[in-house]
Amino acid sequence: RMYELAGRFDEALANYAEMQELADNLGEPALELSALNAQATIYAIPSGKWDPDHAEQVAKRANALAQELGDPRGEAKALWNLLLVEVYSERDPLAGINYGERSLAIARKHGLSEEQAFAQHDLARAYGQAGRFEDSHQALEESRALWEQLGNTEMLADNLTSSAYYYSLLGDFGQAIALAERSLELS
């Protein structure tokens, strides 16, 4: 994960592939699920390794495995990865919303705060792409509260930037500037 956060995606993917091979050798499907979800995320986000078709394939495989294992955290993450595929490829915001809302429902049902925060955060993007601006705003507000609760400063800063953009589109420049300044301070 450190490689991923440092933008060293080749090394992260090599590590996750090794993790998947180890899972296969040990017969540990839960470890395989973690490896698949980690790989899907890298392929789903804008990076030097962005490949939405491959991300979709890996995330669907992870989702099937999570369902087979009865692993709600793994399933919520796989669905979130599918949301990312739709958001960043800008193929079908309604499909993205479907994946995101399914991920969110699972996270809420099982009290998975981090997965809920990620789902809501990126659902805001899908809602915005679909012209559902009030839903987008609400998702940003709810995910912001979770990022604060979880102490995830990086995602809180990202959320504040997205929220500042939302308020600037509404013409509420005072609120937009205040949120942007808070994001800059955290960054």
Side-chain angles (χ1 to χ4, degrees):
R1 178 83 171 117
M2 287 176 49
Y3 287 136
E4 184 181 340
L5 293 173
R8 296 167 56 182
F9 297 113
D10 286 327
E11 291 160 293
L13 286 169
N15 187 58
Y16 295 145
E18 186 178 335
M19 182 175 159
Q20 185 176 353
E21 183 179 332
L22 179 64
D24 290 341
N25 292 338
L26 295 174
E28 292 288 340
L31 185 61
E32 178 184 7
L33 175 59
S34 293
L36 290 170
N37 271 328
Q39 291 172 65
T41 301
I42 290 175
Y43 290 120
I45 62 172
S47 71
K49 294 299 173 185
W50 184 60
D51 184 343
D53 294 329
H54 188 63
E56 181 178 31
Q57 178 186 13
V58 174
K60 284 184 175 180
R61 186 168 155 208
N63 189 46
L65 182 56
Q67 289 176 353
E68 182 182 313
L69 295 173
D71 182 338
R73 185 180 307 275
E75 186 176 1
K77 185 154 187 175
L79 291 166
W80 170 70
N81 279 322
L82 290 165
L83 162 63
L84 293 177
V85 167
E86 297 301 334
V87 164
Y88 290 116
S89 68
E90 298 182 358
R91 293 191 295 203
D92 185 355
L94 297 180
I97 289 168
N98 179 47
Y99 289 130
E101 288 179 347
R102 287 170 51 201
S103 176
L104 180 58
I106 291 167
R108 282 183 172 152
K109 179 180 178 182
H110 296 279
L112 305 171
S113 297
E114 185 175 60
E115 288 75 10
Q116 181 179 338
F118 274 109
Q120 286 180 305
H121 184 86
D122 291 304
L123 259 170
R125 299 175 200 273
Y127 288 142
Q129 288 174 345
R132 293 173 53 182
F133 301 115
E134 279 302 313
D135 290 332
S136 178
H137 175 68
Q138 181 178 345
L140 284 171
E141 293 292 319
E142 291 176 16
S143 64
R144 183 178 318 130
L146 287 168
W147 295 133
E148 288 175 339
Q149 176 188 349
L150 293 166
N152 189 325
T153 307
E154 294 81 8
M155 290 306 301
L156 177 57
D158 188 90
N159 175 286
L160 290 164
T161 299
S162 296
S163 297
Y165 179 69
Y166 171 81
Y167 280 105
S168 72
L169 292 175
L170 293 178
D172 187 343
F173 300 116
Q175 182 68 1
I177 290 169
L179 291 167
E181 286 176 343
R182 183 167 177 225
S183 177
L184 181 61
E185 183 180 306
L186 287 172
S187 296

